[in-house]
């Protein structure tokens, strides 16, 4: 299944009901006063975050939502009922933007948060409300207000624990396919992965973490080169970043720097995350290279591993290392 993480919706609040023009008609009261009731307010369109959901898939099939209108006012001072609200449920982590201004309206980060995205129109006042000493029988009532109409964009950032970043062809998708049930497309050409993949990794017992494989990054990605950096939003909320670099890369340090620079250009805060460096495709590197990589070091707090998804070497260590970093991040977050 393709991971749908963006959806554009047209939302509209219900119109307000019309105010009523009506006069009392009673025996023995020849000129009854005005008794037209108010129209009900239109319903609102609301969005609520729900931890039981994890995609925006539903919104691909239905993208127009209009709340019901308020009932019109009636005679005998009866007010119209308000229109029903519509509540759209979205996964926790969904960002809502106004499609026109692209401004973020809100960021739903907790379960059960909700927001009105399109307000219903106000009910019009009935003629009873317009009676004054000089005009005791107004033949006027307000129409209902129009419901607010708006185009919004829902955007979901994957809530993965560990994000895999690397140049195209580094072996990101191969790794996720070895450590989880995710079955992404793997090929020996760059930009095989076009949409992010999410996998669940079993550590041991019932312990698991989630990992995100994103499309490859290249120098200039922040200017739109390659597939650009649009996918980096998926790793903004991961706790740990694994930098995958091919063991046969002749300039691993420069590659690491390029990746760091691209992330920094997107959002410098991403670099505060725990990091690990993972050299991939150990099986095709020569002894000398492997030896060099074994002593490769960026800094004390960035572990380095050399793995092969083909032979399975180092995979267990990768899982353990990522888990350890994750536990550290979690305990610091508490
Ligand atoms: N020999 C060897 N080949 C590998 C290993 N891991 C991945 N490959 C190969 O490297 C190529 C690229 O692998 P992918 O997993 O598609 O790379 P990616 O980083 O996801 O690439 P993009 O999606 O294009 O960014 C494929 O031909 C894989 O079979 C490995 O450990 N050893
Ligand atoms: Mg890939």
């Amino acid at each position: 299944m393709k991971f749908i993480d963006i959806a554009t919706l047209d939302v509209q609040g219900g119109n307000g009901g019309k105010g009523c023009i009506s006069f009392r008609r009673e025996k023995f009261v020849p000129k009854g006063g005005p008794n037209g009731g108010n129209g009900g307010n239109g319903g609102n369109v609301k969005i609520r975050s729900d931890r039981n959901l994890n995609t925006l898939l539903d919104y691909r099939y239905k993208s127009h939502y209009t709340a019901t209108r308020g009932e019109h006012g009636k005679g005998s001072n009866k007010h119209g009922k308000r229109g029903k609200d519509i509540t759209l449920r979205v996964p926790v982590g969904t960002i809502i933007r106004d499609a026109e201004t692209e401004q973020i309206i809100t960021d739903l980060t907790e379960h059960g948060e909700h927001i009105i995205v399109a307000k219903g129109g106000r009910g019009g006042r009935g003629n009873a409300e317009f009676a004054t000493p000089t005009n005791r029988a107004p033949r006027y009532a307000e129409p209902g207000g129009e419901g607010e109409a708006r185009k919004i964009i829902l955007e979901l950032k994957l809530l993965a624990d560990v994000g895999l970043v690397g140049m195209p062809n580094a072996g990101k998708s191969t790794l996720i396919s070895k450590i989880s049930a995710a079955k992404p497309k793997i090929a020996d050409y760059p930009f095989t992965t076009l949409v992010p993949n999410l996998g669940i990794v079993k550590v041991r017992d019932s312990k698991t973490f989630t990992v995100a494989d994103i499309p490859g990054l290249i120098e200039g990605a922040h200017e739109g080169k390659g597939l650009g950096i649009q996918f980096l939003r998926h790793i903004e909320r991961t706790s740990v970043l694994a930098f995958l670099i091919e063991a046969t890369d002749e300039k691993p340090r420069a590659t690491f720097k390029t990746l760091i620079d691209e992330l920094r250009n997107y959002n410098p805060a991403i670099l505060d995350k725990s990091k690990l460096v993972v050299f991939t495709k150990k099986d095709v590197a020569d002894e000398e290279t492997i030896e060099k990589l074994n002593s490769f070091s960026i800094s004390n707090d960035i572990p380095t591993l050399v793995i092969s998804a083909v032979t399975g070497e180092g995979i267990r260590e990768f899982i353990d290392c990522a888990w350890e970093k994750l536990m550290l991040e979690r305990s610091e977050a508490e």
Side-chain angles (χ1 to χ4, degrees):
M1 186 190 78
K2 202 166 156 185
F3 196 85
I4 302 296
D5 60 340
I6 210 156
T8 305
L9 304 185
D10 287 298
V11 288
Q12 185 165 8
N15 293 337
K18 281 192 276 197
C20 171
I21 302 172
S22 158
F23 297 93
R24 268 196 295 279
R25 289 190 202 290
E26 290 168 39
K27 261 186 192 170
F28 316 119
V29 186
K31 276 191 181 170
N35 69 354
N38 302 338
N41 293 338
N44 303 314
V45 180
K46 294 181 184 170
I47 295 191
R48 175 186 289 274
S49 52
D50 185 330
R51 70 164 82 89
N52 301 311
L53 300 176
N54 48 35
T55 78
L56 294 169
L57 194 66
D58 290 347
Y59 298 108
R60 199 165 71 155
Y61 303 110
K62 181 165 168 24
S63 62
H64 288 258
Y65 295 90
T66 306
T68 46
R69 62 171 307 141
E71 267 180 17
H72 299 318
K74 291 177 204 134
S76 311
N77 285 317
K78 280 200 197 109
H79 301 317
K81 269 199 222 137
R82 65 183 308 278
K84 265 202 200 125
D85 291 347
I86 292 184
T87 302
L88 307 176
R89 296 184 316 140
V90 300
V92 175
T94 301
I95 290 177
I96 307 170
R97 283 177 201 277
D98 184 294
E100 233 160 76
T101 63
E102 295 196 350
Q103 293 278 352
I104 292 181
I105 301 168
T106 194
D107 191 350
L108 301 170
T109 56
E110 308 273 343
H111 173 72
E113 279 184 84
H114 60 92
I115 182 178
I116 294 178
V117 285
K119 240 176 119 49
R122 253 191 62 183
R125 285 176 291 173
N127 69 337
E129 297 227 355
F130 293 99
T132 60
T134 50
N135 182 4
R136 278 185 276 180
R139 313 207 113 264
Y140 171 76
E142 279 176 338
E146 266 183 32
E148 186 184 6
R150 206 172 193 192
K151 204 185 252 302
I152 57 170
I153 300 171
L154 305 180
E155 188 179 302
L156 177 64
K157 297 185 186 194
L158 298 182
L159 294 173
D161 296 311
V162 178
L164 306 181
V165 288
M167 299 272 177
N169 237 18
K172 301 177 292 298
S173 300
T174 308
L175 179 59
I176 199 174
S177 74
K178 293 287 168 191
I179 60 179
S180 76
K183 289 284 163 273
K185 185 169 170 190
I186 292 167
D188 63 354
Y189 53 82
F191 304 118
T192 305
T193 302
L194 302 175
V195 292
N197 301 295
L198 196 61
I200 298 170
V201 181
K202 209 166 166 236
V203 183
R204 66 183 81 76
D205 309 324
S206 57
K207 296 194 182 86
T208 59
F209 64 83
T210 50
V211 54
D213 159 36
I214 63 164
L217 272 185
I218 58 169
E219 187 172 355
H222 72 278
E223 295 162 335
K225 295 230 174 86
L227 289 179
I229 50 172
Q230 47 175 322
F231 298 105
L232 290 181
R233 66 171 181 272
H234 297 291
I235 55 164
E236 270 188 298
R237 292 188 191 185
T238 60
S239 307
V240 178
L241 289 183
F243 291 83
L244 270 61
I245 301 172
E246 287 176 90
T248 49
D249 190 326
E250 279 165 16
K251 293 180 175 163
R253 217 167 270 280
T255 299
F256 180 74
K257 185 172 177 302
T258 301
L259 295 171
I260 290 277
D261 288 346
E262 291 307 319
L263 296 182
R264 184 184 297 113
N265 273 314
Y266 175 73
N267 175 3
I270 286 189
L271 298 180
D272 297 338
K273 298 176 192 300
S274 275
K275 303 180 222 14
L276 23 142
V277 172
V278 181
F279 290 108
T280 58
K281 313 190 190 181
K282 181 177 183 181
D283 55 296
V284 288
D286 57 43
E287 283 299 323
E288 196 189 335
T289 311
I290 293 168
E291 210 151 290
K292 253 196 236 157
L293 294 179
N294 278 333
S295 53
F296 182 96
S297 163
I298 300 273
S299 83
N300 280 340
D301 58 349
I302 306 183
T304 302
L305 297 134
V306 189
I307 69 164
S308 165
V310 167
T311 65
E313 216 185 328
I315 298 286
R316 183 74 242 170
E317 287 79 356
F318 168 75
I319 294 174
D320 287 341
C321 185
W323 176 251
E324 216 170 278
K325 280 279 179 195
L326 191 60
M327 288 302 101
L328 216 66
E329 285 279 319
R330 281 191 190 160
S331 63
E332 276 170 17
E334 268 162 24

